[in-house]
Structures are given as C-alpha cells and as structure tokens.
Amino acid sequence: MNQRTPTLLYIDDDGALARLVERGLTRRGYQVMHAASGEEGLERIRRAGAEGGIDVVALDQYMPGLDGLETLEQIMAISGAPPVVFVTASQDSSIAVTALKAGASDYLVKDVTGDFIPLLHVACEGALRQAELQKAREEAEAEIHASRDRYAALAAEREMLLREVNHRVGNSLQIIASLLHLQASSAAQDEVKAALTNAMGRVAAVAQVHRRLYTSQDLKSVVLNQYLDSLLEDLRRSAEGNRMSRLTLKAEPIEIDPDRAVAVGIVVNELVMNAVKYAYPDGAGPIHVELNSQGDDLLLSITDDGVGDNVKADPRSTGMGQRIVAAMASKLDASVERDPAHSGTRIVLKFGRLPASLGKPNTAAAG
C-alpha cells in the first residue's frame, strides 16, 4: 500500500527562502505549502482542522504582525494541531528554549542560502515520528480507560445479578422454611413435628446468609455477629413456648466467606436445638452462643447449664443432628470438642479465619 505524502506548512515572510524549502523538501518526498505570515499560517491550520491536511509546520521567528513565538502559542491552542519545528536566523539560545517550552518539537537555525534544508528535513521526520508515538500513546491510554470502564460496567452488572440471585434464593428458601413451619404446626405426631422444625431451622440458616448478601454492600463476605443474631432471632420465633427466652449471643464482628458462614449457621442451629430438646428436661434454661477470635483461629461455642452427661438417650433420635454437625465441621476444617470442665454441656469448634486452601493448615481432626 502506498504511503501518503506528508504535507509541510512553511510559515515565513521570506518568499525566496520558501521556494528553496519547497524545492528541497519536495525532492525528499514532501508536499510543501507556504504561508507568508503567522496569521495566514494559523488560518490554513484551522481550515485543515481534523481532516489532517497538514502534517508538520516549519515556523520562522521574525515576521511582521505575529512573530513566531506568538504564532506558536496560538497553534498549540488548536485541538489536534500538527507538530511544529521552530526556525530562526537568530543565534540566541533563549529563543530556542522559549520555543521548546511553548511546545515546539524541534528547533534549528536557518540561513539565507538554504543549507539548513537537510537539517529541516531531519527535524520534520523526527517531529512526525514523535507525533505518531504521541498519537499511539494517547490511543493506548484511551483504550485502557475504555477497558477499565467496560470492566467496571461488567463488574457492576455482575454484582447486581449476584445480588438479585441472592435475593431470589433467599426468598425461595424463606418460602420453604415457612411451608415447613406450617407443616410442623399441623403435624399430629411429635416426632414428625420435631423433624419438620429441625428441617425448617436448617433451611432458615441458609436463607439468612443469602439475605445478608443481598442487603450488604459486600457480596464476598458475611459479618458473623449480625448473621448469628438474626439466626437466633429466627430460632426464638420458631421455638416451642418460651424455651428460647434465655438464648443469648456474644460474638465479635468477624467476616468470613458465605459458604463457610452457612456451615457455621447450620452448626449453631443444630447445637442450639439439641440443647433446647435435651439440656433442660423440666423446662427452659440459658443457652449461650459465643464467637471470638484467638490469633488466626475462630472459636465458636454453644453452652448450656443443663444436665450434661446425665441426659438420657432419646430412643426416637436418628443421630441426624450429630452427622450434620460433623459434616459442617469438616467443611470448616474445624475441630469439635466437648468441654469436660463444664458442668452442663459446652461444645467448642475451632477453625481458621480463612479456608484451609488460603490460610494456614488446620491439623486438628474434626470430631
């Protein structure tokens, strides 16, 4: 493909020298236009405008009307102006410094015989390369900004979709929990009622996580003290009579990922419901849920002051709660221990702040 012939605008009131420049640079592959004053040169540049009809300007310093520096200042104010090579017969270096500071791409000293024309050609070539590099840099920066904007828009859309998914999942799970509650209320057999109530609590534990996510600014983590507070309130509302009236929570505002928050919630649901059923055979008593940090680990405890090891095994028990706790502890990579020094029952889970794949390995075996 043929490359376009570059166009030079030579601004100089010396017509004879302008003709020498035209002949010299035409032989070197340029199309040369001449303007006899700064005003005429500015008009030509403005007419060329965004069409890019002028590729480079050679600008003389001493001219009637606008001089070179004044003309240069106005050229630099034109959007998309071509690069300028400043040309003068003066040996005063201060003019060169002023021109370069004002935006000129290069500076050279001319002579009346045209010996400077090869140097002008070199300067114009350098100015064109510099302009191409600047244009490429600006285009690259514009593309980077556009890519960032696209990424930000996609991230915002993804966050909105995730929030909507969590909202719908949370609503669906809440409907399921409500249906289980209705079914439990109408069940005639105690064991069926208990099974449905347990299932409702498990579903509600998961639903609470999704509710936290779609109402939170952060879709990547759940604040455990807020989550557990809402979860225990759900348990209080679903409890038989007033057996949950002394259910308390003491938890630090610790953030973990949603998957592990679900596991924590299900463990709390199972152990609290177990305490409600077996810790106080003659009525209700205190049940305490605590969550605190210990270095890089988290300690979750569910404590009652009930009968402890003296509890009689319920022949109707299926052991489902214990299996669920064990499964969730494995998901958390947690150890599960019973505190032998406590007169009632105190179950303690110890697990890392981060999943084992991200944090330090947890070598404690799950109970």
Side-chain angles (χ1 to χ4, degrees), residues 11 59-63 66-70 86-89 95:
I11 305 175
L59 175 62
D60 185 35
Q61 163 61 3
Y62 296 108
M63 297 181 293
L66 291 175
D67 66 16
L69 290 174
E70 293 169 332
F86 204 78
V87 180
T88 181
I95 296 177

Side-chain angles (χ1 to χ4, degrees), residues 45 54-57 75-76 80-84:
I45 293 171
I54 297 173
D55 299 294
V56 61
V57 175
I75 291 175
M76 291 297 102
V84 177

